[in-house]
């Protein structure tokens, strides 16, 4: 930072307002390093005292440290953990979070079920359900998308990807197939559901849920017609396996998965859930499961059900050891903990199923993502840090594949 840099001063002032809470929660030490040169370095001490910043400030008047860290522009922030840079960011704009989908705007009363995807060329695609008349799950619901070519600073106009007229589409679950030799730049799959009646009506045996996908081979510029795979992955009364009597169905919500290494390399995997037979108390007719393809979407198979009654919305990731992990909502809410299912055979069966005592939750969906860079590997979880309400959104991180979650930020 520098005294003459207005964005620097704004960022440091904002950090000063939060630093005591950060230190109490995480023990973080924050250091500000001024690059003011010999002409302005004498201003630094009085400048800092005048603002009562509650952190250490050093000077780098010859900018040796700046060059050693590869900094070109200020402000530039580094997050260092155990001697390694695990995150960095340059520039600052106050309130530089962006609302991509705002209720009551762009033709929709409500937006729900977001998903985001970064492509091989750096482009970012963001998806959501656009609910025309209100926030109810069933009704006139479309799937909409926005894109960014500059790392998320600017976004395109909103595009309607799927409009099922006055009926429902939803649960967008995107993934990029990076292992199909026919599409060396990657082909995007966007999985979604259709519904003809409300969830409760379908639980009662009326109406049906469908499972579909569309694809794009040009980074989301154009999309294929929808392909229906209901008969392969959801065994309701309208499919050849009607005797199974599956009724409701929902993808994720969140992202789908591709295995990038090992014996299952190339497998596309979609976490999902379904109900079976007549409604039971506590939604105990629900089970999480997954469906997958080993031939780039030409054919599909299903996993075993996760053997816990009322297992519901699920999201997953492939761990560094090749194991698939699902993180699952328990719909009856009896444990107030996230359900974990782990698989060593590519998500076909479940070797370890347990409730994680550190991941408290109300009845709610959460998110799971494996973050990897040259310096660090972190399994990231986000969800409400409460057993009763959807409040206290918290990011938790694990360095041991989810055995413990020592890093927390509310």
């Amino acid at each position: 930072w520098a005294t003459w840099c207005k964005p620097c001063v704004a960022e440091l002032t904002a950090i000063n307002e939060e630093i005591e809470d950060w230190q109490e929660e995480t023990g973080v030490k924050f250091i500000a390093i001024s690059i003011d040169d010999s002409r302005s370095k004498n201003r630094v001490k009085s400048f800092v005292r005048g603002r009562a910043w509650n952190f250490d400030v050093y000077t780098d008047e010859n900018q040796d440290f700046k060059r050693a860290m590869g900094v070109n522009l200020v402000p530039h922030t580094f997050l260092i953990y155990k001697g390694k840079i695990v995150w960095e960011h340059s520039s600052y704009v106050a309130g530089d979070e962006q609302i991509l989908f705002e209720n009551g705007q762009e033709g929709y009363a409500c937006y729900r079920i977001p998903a985001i995807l970064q492509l091989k060329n750096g482009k970012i695609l963001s998806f959501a359900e656009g609910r025309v008349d209100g926030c109810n799950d069933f009704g006139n619901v479309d799937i909409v998308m926005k894109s960014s070519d500059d790392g998320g600073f600017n976004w395109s106009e909103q595009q309607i990807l799927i409009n099922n007229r006055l009926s429902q589409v939803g649960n967008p679950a995107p993934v990029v197939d990076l292992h199909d030799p026919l599409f060396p730049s990657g082909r995007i799959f966007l999985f979604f559901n259709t519904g003809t009646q409300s969830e409760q009506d379908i639980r009662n045996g009326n109406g049906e849920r469908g499972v579909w996908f569309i694809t794009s081979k040009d980074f989301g510029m154009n999309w294929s017609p929808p392909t229906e795979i209901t008969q392969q992955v959801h065994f309701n009364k309208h499919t050849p396996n009607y005797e199974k009597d599956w009724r409701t169905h929902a993808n994720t919500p969140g992202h789908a998965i591709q295995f990038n290494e090992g014996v299952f390399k190339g497998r596309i995997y979609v976490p999902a859930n379904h109900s079976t037979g007549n409604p039971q108390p506590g939604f105990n007719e629900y089970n999480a499961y997954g469906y997958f393809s080993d031939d780039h979407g030409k054919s599909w198979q299903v996993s075993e059900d996760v053997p816990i009654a009322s297992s519901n919305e699920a999201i997953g990731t492939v761990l560094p050891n090749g194991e698939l992990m699902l993180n699952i909502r328990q719909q009856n809410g009896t444990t107030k903990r996230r359900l974990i299912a782990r698989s060593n055979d590519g998500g076909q069966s479940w070797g370890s199923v347990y409730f994680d005592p550190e991941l408290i939750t109300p009845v709610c969906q959460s998110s799971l993502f494996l973050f990897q860079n040259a310096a660090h590997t972190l399994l990231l979880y986000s969800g409400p840090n409460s057993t009763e309400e959807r409040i206290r959104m918290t990011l938790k991180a694990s360095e041991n594949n989810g055995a413990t979650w020592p890093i927390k930020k509310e």
Side-chain angles (χ1 to χ4, degrees), residues 138 164 167-168 193-199 201-203 205-212 228 230-231 234-239 246-249:
F138 181 71
N164 200 20
S167 192
Q168 176 190 28
N193 292 117
T194 54
T196 61
Q197 294 194 40
S198 70
E199 180 179 9
D201 287 335
I202 293 176
R203 290 179 72 201
N206 303 310
E208 64 177 309
R209 294 278 285 178
V211 188
W212 307 68
E228 185 173 12
T230 307
Q231 295 202 0
H234 178 51
F235 307 124
N236 61 33
K237 62 185 178 181
H238 302 289
T239 68
W246 291 12
R247 298 187 182 182
T248 66
H249 186 279

Side-chain angles (χ1 to χ4, degrees), residues 267-287:
R267 173 171 289 183
I268 299 170
Y269 198 95
V270 186
N273 74 87
H274 68 86
S275 70
T276 303
N278 292 326
Q280 298 179 24
F283 299 89
N284 283 344
E285 80 275 20
Y286 280 79
N287 290 92

Side-chain angles (χ1 to χ4, degrees), residues 88-153:
E88 60 182 291
H89 178 70
S90 61
S91 77
Y92 177 76
V93 178
D96 60 355
E97 295 179 348
Q98 296 186 48
I99 298 175
L100 296 187
F101 303 106
E102 184 173 1
N103 289 353
Q105 302 297 315
E106 300 184 78
Y108 294 95
C110 190
Y111 294 95
R112 297 287 300 276
I113 321 301
I116 197 164
L117 191 67
Q118 186 169 35
L119 308 181
K120 194 172 183 178
N121 66 351
K123 186 175 185 178
I124 301 173
L125 304 180
S126 185
F127 307 89
E129 291 183 8
R131 302 183 177 184
V132 175
D133 300 315
C135 287
N136 291 335
D137 289 342
F138 181 71
N140 186 356
V141 181
D142 304 329
I143 292 178
V144 298
M145 182 189 81
K146 293 184 179 182
S147 63
S148 174
D149 293 313
D150 59 3
F153 287 101

Side-chain angles (χ1 to χ4, degrees), residues 165-211:
R165 299 188 179 181
L166 298 179
S167 192
Q168 176 190 28
V169 293
N171 296 98
V175 69
V176 184
D177 182 355
L178 294 173
H179 299 291
D180 189 339
L182 296 178
F183 304 98
S185 296
R187 182 166 65 139
I188 307 166
F189 282 75
L190 181 68
F191 300 90
F192 64 94
N193 292 117
T194 54
T196 61
Q197 294 194 40
S198 70
E199 180 179 9
Q200 185 59 50
D201 287 335
I202 293 176
R203 290 179 72 201
N204 289 332
N206 303 310
E208 64 177 309
R209 294 278 285 178
V211 188

